[in-house]
Amino acid sequence: MVMLIDGRVIAGKVYVDLRREITQLKSKGVTPGLAVILVGDNPASSAYVRSKDKMCRDLGLHSVKLELPASTTQAELLGSVKALNHDSTIHGILVQSPPPEQIDEAAIVRALDPRKDVDGFHPENVAKLVIGDPSGFAPCTPLGIQRLLIENKIQIAGAHVVILGRSMIVGKPLALLLMQKNKDGNATVTIAHSQSRDLEKITRSADILIAAIGRPNFVKAKHVRDGAAVIDVGINRVEDAASKRGYRLVGDVLFDDVSKKAGAITPVPGGVGPMTIAMLMSNTVKACRQLARGGSPEPPAGD
Ligand code: NAP
């Protein structure tokens, strides 16, 4: 019988712990603050920003939603980022992706104060992830996936983890997290991508298979070893005339097929998605803690 990995339940546990920590910080006169900058009016981005703002408010965080017109210039956006870098009520900043095409996103990320880069995309945080410095910020989706595995007691140490996809948002940082030499890592990690040969052979050797490719229902039972844990990161819109919205969301994994063979599986929606926002809140509280200590790093995680 396959185990359903419920991201909503695990995210709920994360929020219980965060609420306790937020109360403690507030009792010391500090309220963690998150600023989200949205440039333009992309409907999907607006929806993401609204849900981040709502979650901040639910948790009692200070939330700033900066909505800038689609015509915003690079210099104007840089000005907003720099103002937030210097705003002591703000501990986490993110610029919702994708920005309009006149914006050089990499330059904007480099302009963020790395101590407030709760998305974990600043080169300083990428470097900290590579060297295993726990004061850095890892990207939220990989952190959420790691937490899902831990909370569901799916053994990471010694496991062969195969990740489909090598993006800087999911695949690469996830590989780094799961191969860290610490109690939450120690996996043997393989990354596959669109140029990989013998994909089925690679995926069938996985104890944990993680799909992050953005291809609806790509992973089938034939890709999966009996009893493997399958984590579906994909969020894809497919046309659905029967739905009021005219589309429905599916993952990168053909759920009904794969769940007959896997030992554990995440649904879409309700798997990785809720964990991404939970980890954003968690990174914001971590940034607040670290900044309140004068920017000094977290004590090293116990091995
Ligand atoms: P991305 O930047 O487009 O990267 C996709 C990766 O998949 C690339 O490395 C690509 O290979 C690889 N790929 C594409 N087709 C492939 C194939 N047929 N076989 C093997 N590899 C293939 O995507 P992303 O930003 O990482 O996102 C991936 C998916 O996760 C999307 O559906 C996205 O919406 C979803 N997502 C979900 C969350 C969440 O919170 N649940 C967060 C982030 C992303 P190449 O490098 O060779 O092109």
Side-chain angles (χ1 to χ4, degrees), residues 5-139:
I5 300 175
D6 190 332
R8 293 193 178 111
V9 169
I10 308 298
K13 283 178 74 173
V14 172
Y15 292 132
V16 169
D17 294 344
L18 282 180
R19 280 180 203 280
R20 196 176 314 121
E21 247 195 282
I22 293 163
T23 305
Q24 276 170 10
L25 283 163
K26 284 184 166 177
S27 72
K28 293 177 191 151
V30 194
T31 300
L34 175 67
V36 180
I37 307 178
L38 174 66
V39 188
D41 47 15
N42 176 317
S45 297
S46 300
Y48 282 131
V49 170
R50 267 198 311 277
S51 62
K52 287 166 187 173
D53 178 54
K54 181 175 180 304
M55 190 47 74
C56 280
R57 289 172 194 279
D58 282 357
L59 290 174
L61 299 186
H62 172 48
S63 175
V64 171
K65 197 168 58 158
L66 200 58
E67 290 172 297
L68 303 176
S71 57
T72 302
T73 64
Q74 181 80 5
E76 286 165 342
L77 182 53
L78 277 174
S80 299
V81 166
K82 284 182 182 155
L84 291 166
N85 281 346
H86 290 107
D87 183 339
S88 61
T89 68
I90 294 297
H91 307 93
I93 308 169
L94 70 86
V95 181
Q96 185 63 45
S97 199
E101 58 185 16
Q102 76 275 15
I103 300 295
D104 175 354
E105 195 173 6
I108 298 295
V109 168
R110 282 196 302 275
L112 291 170
D113 180 338
R115 298 170 305 169
K116 297 187 177 185
D117 166 39
V118 284
D119 258 347
F121 299 151
H122 189 286
E124 189 171 313
N125 284 314
V126 176
K128 284 185 172 181
L129 181 58
V130 173
I131 62 178
D133 178 340
S135 71
F137 295 96

Side-chain angles (χ1 to χ4, degrees), residues 141 164-167 169-170 192-195 199 212-215 218 233-236 252 272-273 276:
T141 302
L164 291 180
R166 55 177 161 181
S167 74
I169 299 176
V170 189
H193 44 76
S194 69
Q195 305 304 307
L199 204 63
I213 55 177
R215 300 268 180 270
F218 179 90
V233 188
I235 302 177
N236 309 290
D252 290 344
V272 174
T276 297

